[in-house]
Amino acid sequence: MDFTLSDEQQSLQETARRFAQTEIAPNAAHYDQAAEFPREIIKKAWELGLVSMCVPEAYGGVGLSMLDSCIAVEEIAWGCAGMATSIMCNDLGLMPILVGGSDEQKKRWLTECTSDFKLVSFCLSEPNAGSDVAGMQLLAERDGDHYVLNGTKCWITNGGEADLFTVFATLDRASRHKGICAFVIPRGTPGLAPGKKEDKMGQRASDTRVIHFDNVRVPASDQLGQEGEGFKIAMQTLDRTRPPIGALATGIARRALDESVAYAKERKAFGFPIGGFQAVQFLLADMAKDIEAGRLLTRQSAWMVDQGMRASKYSSFAKCFATDTAMRVTTDAVQIFGGNGYTKEYPVEKLMRDAKLMQIYEGTNQIQRLVIARELLKE
Ligand code: CAA
């Protein structure tokens, strides 16, 4: 087993790290406080090849492997988790096209996102169907060579900014997962309307909205796969996009550790730097140990995706472990900073707020445990 990053991977890591240090981190507090979408910064990331990373070279993309993407996402998230989510969820929006699209559809939609700066949203969750994907209500009714969509999606990342939406809808609610279809819908299609922006606890630089569908007519040629294949396209997408969520969480946790180590060296109590006390040392040691373990699980699951293996269990290991780690590490970072950590003058309270979302989106950590248990019982 060789854990060394290749020269190309080291150079990618360096590019993402420099971008995070110079463009993202210095602006993170502003976009967090203003809850503003940092379009110019995301555009610069796109110019560097750090957005739409998963698109193969054949469609004009940079063609990064999932492992490469995870290396870059960890660095970006070190700078700001909200910006990393905007970037990562764009790849999430593209993934159903890669998983279920025909070559013609890939050429059309993917090339559109690589030749110009365009963002994509993944529209799966609904007000009454978050964990229970098969219970979705957004209805797709066939009308000649079109489908007509009616209903609502929610918690849609990049919802107010996206140019393309990959949307899951059901032909028949009673058929549960067997009735679900996937579509690609461009912004501006009549009846598709982003709703109010959510006022979130953390990751406030990312744009999260409800999307309304009111008699949205979609050409049948813009369906990904066949009728009834949408559920599996969604599950196969999430198998591939949960490793980068592990990477994102690892980036948040690594930032919390970096801040904590620096503070522990400088802050004095009882006449000594607090890093000299075992109470603080043990917290730092546990942080470092769990971050490393989360990174290893993340890279292993990403490698499995790259090998074309079914990675459901390992992707859930990575997502669940790394995001629980981020929550614990950021909470401990606030503890190390004491009262200072609870104020907006220091960076760790943002990290703790940002970490909480990691345990909820892309499948709650309860759903990850369910996926793991089902895979174990099937084996
Ligand atoms: N790959 C391929 N096929 C799969 C699969 C996978 N990973 N998982 C399930 N399937 C297949 C099953 O084999 C089964 O197939 P058959 O009909 O042939 O038997 C079918 O799909 C149905 O599977 P289940 O019976 O397991 O389905 P379920 O209704 O019990 O649900 C679930 C499974 C795992 C709970 C699923 O609903 C799930 O993943 N929920 C979480 C949803 C989620 O992660 N949402 C995140 C939204 S995106 C987001 O948050 C990002 C953002 O914008 C911030």
Side-chain angles (χ1 to χ4, degrees):
M1 222 177 279
D2 183 357
F3 293 99
T4 323
L5 300 186
S6 67
D7 289 347
E8 290 78 19
Q9 285 168 334
Q10 286 180 43
S11 148
L12 169 71
Q13 187 179 47
E14 188 47 40
T15 302
R17 185 169 291 172
R18 214 172 321 113
F19 187 71
Q21 286 169 349
T22 56
E23 301 283 343
I24 296 183
N27 296 306
H30 164 77
Y31 287 100
D32 173 58
Q33 278 156 29
E36 230 177 79
F37 183 75
R39 198 168 178 91
E40 282 313 307
I41 296 179
I42 306 294
K43 186 162 184 240
K44 278 188 194 166
W46 177 80
E47 284 159 5
L48 284 174
L50 298 172
V51 177
S52 302
M53 292 181 267
C54 64
V55 178
E57 287 171 0
Y59 305 108
V62 284
L64 294 188
S65 68
M66 193 50 75
L67 180 54
D68 296 339
S69 299
C70 286
I71 291 166
V73 167
E74 181 185 323
E75 299 305 323
I76 296 166
W78 181 96
C80 176
M83 296 193 208
T85 282
S86 310
I87 287 173
M88 196 275 137
C89 283
N90 176 72
D91 273 46
L92 168 67
L94 289 165
M95 193 57 78
I97 305 174
L98 280 165
V99 168
S102 64
D103 189 47
E104 200 187 321
Q105 288 173 325
K106 287 180 191 168
K107 262 189 204 130
R108 178 173 165 210
W109 302 117
L110 300 178
T111 312
E112 207 171 283
C113 296
T114 51
S115 57
D116 200 357
F117 174 56
K118 297 218 160 152
L119 289 172
V120 189
S121 276
F122 178 76
C123 304
L124 185 69
S125 302
E126 296 187 2
N128 293 307
S131 292
D132 180 17
V133 172
M136 72 173 59
Q137 302 286 299
L138 183 80
L139 199 61
E141 292 170 290
R142 184 86 195 211
D143 180 19
D145 55 3
H146 281 71
Y147 290 88
V148 182
L149 271 56
N150 278 291
T152 302
K153 292 287 176 187
C154 66
W155 312 123
I156 306 306
T157 304
N158 295 333
E161 301 289 331
D163 301 283
L164 278 186
F165 299 82
T166 43
V167 180
F168 295 83
T170 179
L171 290 171
D172 170 25
R173 291 166 182 148
S175 303
R176 294 206 31 101
H177 72 268
K178 293 198 170 78
I180 295 175
C181 304
F183 302 96
V184 184
I185 310 180
R187 176 178 216 88
T189 303
L192 187 155
K196 182 177 94 35
K197 189 169 168 174
E198 301 292 350
D199 187 8
K200 303 197 300 290
M201 172 201 280
Q203 304 212 8
R204 289 166 59 78
S206 78
D207 182 277
T208 312
R209 294 183 191 246
V210 162
I211 308 284
H212 300 288
F213 296 80
D214 182 14
N215 285 318
V216 176
R217 291 183 69 79
V218 186
S221 56
D222 294 349
Q223 181 177 188
L224 299 171
Q226 303 298 313
E227 286 188 352
E229 288 182 355
F231 186 86
K232 286 190 186 168
I233 293 175
M235 293 300 116
Q236 288 168 355
T237 294
L238 293 168
D239 281 351
R240 287 163 175 74
T241 55
R242 285 178 180 148
I245 295 298
L248 212 160
T250 302
I252 301 173
R254 201 185 90 211
R255 176 68 180 276
L257 175 63
D258 290 353
E259 298 290 347
S260 299
V261 168
Y263 190 78
K265 286 183 187 168
E266 158 204 307
R267 169 79 182 177
K268 288 193 175 142
F270 304 101
F272 298 99
I274 59 169
F277 298 112
Q278 279 191 347
V280 172
Q281 288 173 357
F282 288 2
L283 287 177
L284 295 175
D286 276 340
M287 287 173 166
K289 157 175 79 59
D290 293 349
I291 291 169
E292 197 65 32
R295 182 183 293 118
L296 287 172
L297 279 174
T298 294
R299 291 190 181 172
Q300 183 187 17
S301 59
W303 176 85
M304 289 176 79
V305 169
D306 289 334
Q307 303 311 306
M309 296 158 83
R310 179 164 167 161
S312 311
K313 188 173 71 175
Y314 286 82
S315 294
S316 288
F317 282 165
K319 194 275 176 184
C320 192
F321 186 86
T323 62
D324 281 347
T325 295
M327 194 66 244
R328 201 171 47 249
V329 166
T330 55
T331 307
D332 285 347
V334 171
Q335 192 69 20
I336 289 172
F337 275 70
N340 286 339
Y342 206 65
T343 70
K344 289 194 190 298
E345 261 178 63
Y346 290 81
V348 287
E349 64 81 34
K350 173 180 182 294
L351 297 173
M352 186 176 161
R353 286 187 285 110
D354 288 350
K356 186 62 211 167
L357 183 56
M358 306 308 298
Q359 295 178 304
I360 298 171
Y361 74 10
E362 287 239 2
T364 63
N365 284 3
Q366 287 68 30
I367 286 292
Q368 307 310 320
R369 289 177 170 91
L370 189 124
V371 170
I372 294 165
R374 283 186 183 182
E375 292 286 318
L376 289 174
L377 294 166
K378 242 186 343 201
E379 277 164 9

